[in-house]
């Protein structure tokens, strides 16, 4: 089983500790590509127009400055660095040790900076979105796509791929459609299905947690549907030659995200 997640845009810096070790990251085949993006990001972040190029506001100037010397910043496991509604809903810290080991082995975060990292990989906090176009690199989604397809394609193999990424990060890697399930979230409003946007991340995080917490993880799209139906109203739209299966989760009208 492979669970694909997007990163959070906001990240929690490690308070202390050693810097990241490039050789210890998952998918070492990406080392040279990561180094190229790191170098380009550091150069851009030192320029006067850094905020504009990176598409962020003045309130994030400190995070952009941190980009200049990421090799010196303290690192922490990816599941601690990435924050936000998806990762809060997944709740890594409250998983059992066995479930955490399953998460470390199964969860991959697709990243604008690293390409892809394992959940236990130690990384520094950074500021970079997949939608950014870096000088010398170009649009990051296009840059990474040619590099990630063979690497993550090999990792996926014939296993079930549960794709919880947002559209920006979907563009960077296309997993094999026949064994991939993309998770979509809808809510009934006035009896009609409406797409859930921001808070879809929360439900996807809950789905990831639900799967990781099961004694026997699903191995097929149909088994995933059955597992998800233990908690939610859901349906599975079959894959085509070019499009993955789609798991539609339908939340009731009374469902509220207010507490989040």
């Amino acid at each position: 089983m492979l669970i694909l997640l997007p990163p959070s845009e906001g990240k929690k810096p490690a308070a202390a500790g050693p810097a990241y070790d490039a050789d210890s990251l998952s998918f070492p085949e990406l080392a040279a590509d990561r180094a190229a993006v790191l170098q380009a990001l550091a150069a851009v972040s030192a320029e006067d127009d850094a905020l504009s190029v990176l598409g962020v506001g003045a309130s994030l100037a400190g995070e952009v400055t941190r980009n200049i010397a990421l090799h010196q910043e303290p690192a922490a496991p990816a599941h601690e660095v990435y924050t936000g509604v998806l990762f809060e809903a997944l709740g890594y810290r409250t998983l059992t040790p066995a479930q955490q080991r399953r998460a470390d082995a199964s969860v991959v975060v697709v990243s604008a900076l690293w390409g892809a990292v394992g959940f236990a990989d130690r990384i520094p906090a950074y500021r970079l979105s997949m939608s950014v176009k870096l000088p010398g690199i170009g649009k990051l989604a296009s840059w990474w796509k040619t590099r990630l397809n063979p690497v993550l394609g090999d990792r996926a193999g014939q296993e079930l791929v549960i794709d919880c990424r947002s559209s920006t990060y979907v563009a960077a890697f296309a997993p094999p459609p026949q064994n991939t399930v993309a998770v979509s979230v809808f809510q009934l409003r006035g009896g009609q299905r409406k797409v859930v946007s921001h808070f879809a991340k929360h439900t996807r995080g809950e789905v990831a947690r639900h799967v990781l917490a099961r004694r026997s993880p699903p191995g097929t799209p149909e088994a995933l549907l059955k597992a998800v139906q233990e908690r939610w109203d859901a349906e599975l739209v079959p894959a085509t030659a070019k499009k993955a299966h789609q798991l539609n989760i339908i939340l009731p009208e009374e469902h509220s995200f207010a507490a989040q």
Side-chain angles (χ1 to χ4, degrees):
M1 180 178 68
L2 173 62
I3 301 175
L4 296 176
L5 301 182
S8 56
E9 294 305 323
K11 300 166 186 72
K12 180 182 178 182
Y20 85 98
D21 176 8
D23 294 332
S24 71
L25 298 180
S26 302
F27 313 111
E29 308 96 316
L30 301 174
D33 302 312
R34 290 166 174 155
V37 177
L38 275 163
Q39 183 177 7
L41 177 61
V44 163
S45 298
E47 296 293 335
D48 292 339
D49 63 347
L51 299 182
S52 176
V53 173
L54 297 178
V56 300
S59 64
L60 299 176
E63 295 185 22
V64 172
T65 299
R66 188 188 300 122
N67 286 341
I68 297 172
L70 288 175
H71 62 286
Q72 298 175 353
E73 292 290 326
H79 59 74
E80 293 182 11
V81 172
Y82 294 121
T83 59
V85 295
L86 189 155
F87 295 92
E88 290 170 1
L90 191 153
Y92 181 92
R93 286 189 176 185
T94 59
L95 294 172
T96 68
Q99 291 164 357
Q100 289 180 348
R101 289 191 293 272
R102 182 176 294 157
D104 293 345
S106 303
V107 175
V108 169
V109 180
V110 175
S111 162
L113 179 57
W114 312 108
V117 290
F119 225 24
D121 288 357
R122 298 181 63 83
I123 58 173
Y126 62 94
R127 173 58 65 164
L128 183 65
S129 172
M130 192 66 83
S131 61
V132 168
K133 184 177 181 180
L134 285 178
I137 297 292
K139 191 172 181 180
L140 285 162
S142 300
W143 162 270
W144 282 118
K145 187 172 185 178
T146 57
R147 294 158 172 83
L148 289 181
N149 277 346
V151 174
L152 291 185
D154 286 346
R155 167 61 183 84
Q158 299 301 311
E159 295 184 30
L160 174 67
V161 179
I162 305 172
D163 195 347
C164 296
R165 294 174 295 166
S166 53
S167 59
T168 303
Y169 290 87
V170 165
F173 167 58
Q178 294 305 314
N179 55 306
T180 298
V181 180
V183 180
S184 297
V185 184
F186 300 85
Q187 185 172 14
L188 294 175
R189 294 175 187 167
Q192 300 295 317
R193 290 186 190 182
K194 301 294 182 181
V195 175
V196 176
S197 54
H198 172 70
F199 285 113
K201 297 177 183 178
H202 182 268
T203 303
R204 289 176 180 136
E206 290 183 317
V207 169
R209 180 185 178 88
H210 182 70
V211 170
L212 291 167
R214 297 182 87 253
R215 180 173 299 179
S216 179
T220 66
E222 293 74 19
L224 175 61
L225 173 64
K226 185 175 180 180
V228 166
Q229 286 176 330
E230 295 169 353
R231 180 169 176 183
W232 294 277
D233 182 15
E235 66 182 13
L236 185 70
V237 179
T240 66
K242 295 183 178 180
K243 188 175 180 180
H245 300 267
Q246 182 169 307
L247 178 67
N248 294 331
I249 295 177
I250 303 100
L251 303 175
E253 297 205 29
E254 64 272 18
H255 186 88
S256 174
F257 298 100
Q260 307 303 325

